[in-house]
Each structure stands twice: as structure tokens, then as C-alpha cells.
Amino acid sequence: MNSNSKITVETIRSMKGRGEKIAALTAYDFPMTRLLDQAGVPLLLVGDSLGMVVLGHPDTTQVTMGDIEHHLRAAVRARPRALLGADLPYRSYDTVEQAVTNSRRLFDAGAEFVKAEGGCEIVPQIRAILAAGIPFLGHIGMLPQHVLEEGGKYHIKGRDDAGRDRLMADARALADAGAFGMVLELVTPPVSRMLTAALKIPTIGIGSGSDCDGQILVTHDLLGLFPWFTPRFVKPRLDAAGQMQAAVEAWRREL
Ligand code: KIV
């Protein structure tokens, strides 16, 4: 990867061919986007996880287009070298028309790609988004936007033959529709390995084992910025919350 040039969808796709691991993180504002970009992360996402780690909602289902646009505009101001995309929030792509209108809104706000959750059932939406000239990143496996339908629990996917076959059908459908890559969330490691080997486009795992083409994390989890909940698969690299608290207490004591 050339160290100065702007990262494009093609750059990300070609990393799979070269066996270069794709690091991806969420970014929801100007300073974090700038810092992560300076740390050399090639793929950044204004994820709807912002609903939980920034806005204080219990899950991602209450995130609106307005929320994503607001944070996206802040992230875009960092003018990252990284490829910067945004999530289409819950219920914003139920129909093909909604998918195109809302993807255009994010594209106009500066997103270089959009991501939405789902497999075969959203292929018409994906085709329409791509026909509108907007790159698309898929997201299969555990779908946080459907957590309430799943009884409020985040279940691991691909545990049995039916689950594995379903994931394979979804992954192939996304690739055939033209997605440039796909997130695999909470997919069993053997199934992630199988999908990664079967697909020409990159897989980016989260809680899905180490054999995907890349890994994505919620930055707040990686940096210990949201200490009230850390997913089991994350090994925080920093206790940012603890350090912030200690720094503020030290300052307060010295007043
Ligand atoms: O919303 C999000 O942040 C995501 C990634 C963690 C995959 O979808």
C-alpha cells in the first residue's frame, strides 16, 4: 500500500489479493477520525454503534439518519486518507427507494461507501445503491439492528449446517450484487474461514476469529473508552476511561 495516496475501495479490495490484513475501526467525530487516520488505519466507519457508545442508547435501533449525518460530517472534516464510510441506520433501507435516497444523503455528506445489514433479502437495495454510483459494504452474521427481534441477545451465527449454508448464500448474494467487501459479525471461526476462502472480496470480521481478511472493532471498545460494557472478544489496548478519570481527579485535587 503506497503510504501517501488516498485509500479507495480498490485499495481495500486489492489488500486481500496481497494477503495484507485490513484494519478497520469506527470513528464518529473529527479528532478520533484524525487520530485513527494518523495511526494508519485504512478503513474507517461512522457506525451506528455510535447510538450505544456515544448517544447512550441501549442498542442501535434508535439511531436516525440525522444522527449518522451529523457525526459523518464531523468525521469528514478530518479529510482522512482512509476510506471513510457510514452505516445506513435501522429502517432506513426497507425499500429500494429509501435505500437509494438515504445512501445519497450519506454520500452527499461525504461518505465514500455505505454499509447496511442483511443478506439475500436486501440484494435489490444493494443493486440500486450501486447503480446510483455509491460503493457498498455488506454486513452479515449477527445483525445488531435486529437484536430486538432476536430477543435482545447477540447470538453467534453459523453454529449448525443450516446456519452455515444461510451465511454462505448471503455472502455469495452480496458478492454477486457487487459489494466490495463484507463485515462478518459473531460468525463462528470455521465458517468465517470458509467464507473468506470462498470469496474474492474481503471479509472483515468482528468477533469472528482471526482468519478473516481484516478486523473491525468499535474504537471505544479497543481503547477502553466505554468501560461499562466490553464485548468478550475484545482485548482493550488502553484504559482510556480509567486514565481520564485519574487525570481529572488529580487536577481537581490540585485546585
Ligand atoms: O456499527 C458499527 O460500528 C458496526 C461495526 C462495528 C461493524 O457495524
Side-chain angles (χ1 to χ4, degrees):
M1 197 164 65
N2 180 316
S3 60
N4 292 317
S5 53
K6 172 71 187 155
I7 290 168
T8 64
V9 162
E10 262 324 304
T11 322
I12 299 296
R13 228 201 297 245
S14 67
M15 287 172 79
K16 175 167 181 141
R18 290 197 299 276
E20 205 176 322
K21 287 280 184 186
I22 302 162
L25 285 171
T26 59
Y28 316 113
D29 59 27
F30 173 85
M32 193 59 91
T33 304
R34 208 159 182 182
L35 288 167
L36 300 179
D37 194 49
Q38 284 173 1
V41 179
L43 182 58
L44 295 174
L45 174 74
V46 181
D48 61 358
S49 51
L50 71 84
M52 298 163 82
V53 299
V54 176
L55 302 180
H57 294 303
D59 55 55
T60 60
T61 61
Q62 294 175 54
V63 175
T64 65
M65 275 297 296
D67 293 333
I68 297 282
E69 276 176 304
H70 177 74
H71 286 271
L72 171 61
R73 285 186 200 282
V76 166
R77 280 181 209 116
R79 300 169 64 87
R81 172 178 176 254
L83 185 70
L84 174 68
D87 263 337
L88 282 163
Y90 185 51
R91 308 301 313 249
S92 70
Y93 51 99
D94 284 356
T95 66
V96 166
E97 292 70 27
Q98 283 178 326
V100 173
T101 303
N102 288 321
S103 297
R104 281 213 178 102
R105 274 175 67 176
L106 298 182
F107 193 67
D108 290 346
E112 296 171 298
F113 68 88
V114 297
K115 174 169 85 58
E117 297 180 9
C120 299
E121 74 285 3
I122 62 162
V123 163
Q125 284 91 325
I126 298 171
R127 290 195 190 282
I129 291 167
L130 290 166
I134 302 168
F136 183 84
L137 179 67
H139 184 153
I140 60 173
M142 194 283 292
L143 306 180
Q145 292 177 3
H146 295 273
V147 65
L148 298 180
E149 292 144 49
E150 298 229 351
K153 292 240 162 31
Y154 297 98
H155 298 287
I156 294 172
K157 301 292 174 177
R159 282 185 187 278
D160 55 17
D161 290 356
R164 183 201 58 205
D165 293 351
R166 174 74 209 263
L167 283 167
M168 183 53 98
D170 284 338
R172 286 200 193 286
L174 259 52
D176 290 349
F180 73 87
M182 71 191 71
V183 170
L184 304 181
E185 181 155 2
L186 289 188
V187 171
T188 63
V191 174
S192 295
R193 198 174 310 127
M194 184 185 75
L195 297 176
T196 301
L199 296 170
K200 290 203 172 71
I201 59 171
T203 59
I204 302 177
I206 173 161
S208 299
S210 57
D211 290 328
C212 298
D213 297 304
Q215 297 289 331
I216 186 164
L217 285 178
V218 169
T219 298
H220 287 54
D221 296 337
L222 180 68
L223 301 184
L225 265 171
F226 194 81
W228 308 280
F229 173 74
T230 307
R232 258 179 301 174
F233 54 85
V234 179
K235 190 173 117 206
R237 300 293 175 136
L238 182 70
D239 175 20
Q243 292 195 14
M244 282 165 69
Q245 208 156 340
V248 171
E249 280 169 14
W251 170 78
R252 188 172 49 77
R253 276 194 302 271
E254 286 170 20
L255 289 180

